[in-house]
Amino acid sequence: MNIEIIHAPTDSKPFLVIYKPKGLASAPLVESDTENALAQAIEKFPEICGVHGKKEIEYGLLHRLDTATDGLIVIATSQECYDFLTEEQREGRFIKYYSALCDILPDNPNALGGFPPDTPMSSLRAQSAKQSITATSYFRPYGEGRKEVRPVTEQSGKAALAKLGKPKLYTTEITIEKQDETTALAECRIREGYRHQVRCHLAWAGYPVKGDILYNSNYRKNDSDIKKAENLLFSATKISFEYPRGDLNSYDRKDTWT
């Protein structure tokens, strides 16, 4: 599993845009770990190691993707670029787009448990394609080993509100591009992300991603189903941001299923 270079760093644009395939981790857990996208990027562009990031072993990595998700990642190759784009993320000007092929399961939140009683699109589910939905919530860790997350709203119980990971609202803008009786194609956009945000918001809305063993109630969490995560039909297909100020950079790359 090898990364693909979408944009190589230059003097005027000291950042790298890569495509990460499914099944490859975004970053190392320990310094000796080389089976990840960042390590492959460093092998090609060692100047990444001159950047001090949020974590010492992540250098100029600006964001991650889940191992089961393919798509675009941005890595800064200069400290000035890293600091600038980190501030852009904080200010909501670093925009990420995702495509998802989803099952239509109105009862998905109830079947999984732990979701707020208010759903972002229950009143819209019967409408035609091209409908737009905005899902906004806080998030909390959930489940055995805290491997999952759940949205939290003012309608959540006191116990859920007490377990907030961060007292910060996160928004996913969802457009249903097309759908039939059982399946929908969703295009999603976020400005700042929380772990599993888009997948969880889609699940909350009753549109869980096909192949998602964490957030799709069609799957049962046992050994025989874990391999289905390799077929998660969810991709980070586009990214856009300014660098330097006033110069909009936009990159896209879609996998074969999209």
Side-chain angles (χ1 to χ4, degrees):
M1 294 179 288
N2 296 316
I3 64 171
E4 177 184 331
I5 307 301
I6 304 299
H7 166 78
T10 65
D11 290 342
S12 61
K13 295 184 184 295
F15 57 82
L16 176 66
V17 182
I18 65 170
Y19 169 80
K20 181 193 80 68
K22 298 177 188 292
L24 182 67
S26 293
L29 294 176
V30 295
E31 191 171 2
S32 59
D33 179 10
T34 59
E35 299 297 320
N36 57 80
L38 179 61
Q40 289 188 26
I42 289 171
E43 187 175 353
K44 297 176 183 291
F45 303 98
E47 60 267 35
I48 292 169
C49 293
V51 181
H52 299 285
K54 295 176 184 177
K55 294 184 179 180
E56 186 176 350
I57 61 174
E58 292 188 358
Y59 305 105
L61 184 69
L62 283 153
H63 60 104
R64 292 166 170 251
L65 292 177
D66 302 329
T67 298
T69 301
D70 70 284
L72 301 181
I73 295 176
V74 182
I75 305 168
T77 56
S78 79
Q79 192 66 48
E80 183 276 334
C81 181
Y82 179 86
D83 294 341
F84 179 90
L85 292 180
T86 298
E87 182 62 22
E88 293 297 279
Q89 289 179 311
R90 291 195 193 100
E91 296 298 323
R93 295 190 291 262
F94 189 95
I95 305 174
K96 293 172 281 188
Y97 300 79
Y98 300 81
S99 295
L101 192 62
C102 306
D103 289 318
I104 301 176
L105 300 175
D107 197 49
N108 191 67
N110 292 330
L112 292 178
F115 286 84
D118 48 333
T119 63
M121 55 181 288
S122 58
S123 62
L124 301 175
R125 194 168 290 120
Q127 292 186 8
S128 61
K130 291 295 183 181
Q131 59 180 306
S132 296
I133 307 100
T134 299
T136 299
S137 72
Y138 304 102
F139 279 99
R140 64 184 173 108
Y142 184 84
E144 183 179 355
R146 298 159 68 93
K147 293 180 180 179
E148 302 175 35
V149 299
R150 289 292 186 270
V152 178
T153 70
E154 299 302 326
Q155 302 300 315
S156 300
K158 291 182 179 179
L161 286 166
K163 296 177 181 177
L164 288 180
K166 289 183 180 179
K168 181 182 178 73
L169 288 169
Y170 294 88
T171 295
T172 304
E173 298 173 20
I174 303 166
T175 300
I176 303 300
E177 293 292 335
K178 59 183 178 181
Q179 64 180 336
D180 56 29
E181 293 182 357
T182 61
T183 303
L185 175 63
E187 300 292 341
C188 307
R189 184 174 79 161
I190 63 172
R191 295 180 179 272
E192 190 173 5
Y194 191 84
R195 180 170 66 98
H196 297 177
Q197 174 182 326
V198 179
R199 291 163 59 190
C200 188
H201 271 164
L202 284 167
W204 182 30
Y207 283 88
V209 179
K210 286 182 177 291
D212 195 335
I213 62 171
L214 294 181
Y215 300 107
N216 188 325
S217 58
N218 271 348
Y219 303 96
R220 293 293 175 260
K221 299 163 192 172
N222 56 51
D223 291 342
S224 64
D225 276 345
I226 288 176
K227 291 183 179 180
K228 291 178 181 176
E230 297 174 3
N231 298 316
L232 184 73
L233 298 186
F234 179 73
S235 300
T237 50
K238 182 180 176 181
I239 195 159
S240 64
F241 54 89
E242 289 187 7
Y243 185 87
R245 174 69 65 233
D247 187 354
L248 181 64
N249 301 274
S250 183
Y251 303 91
D252 62 85
R253 191 338 185 141
K254 293 190 175 184
D255 202 356
T256 53
W257 76 265
T258 57

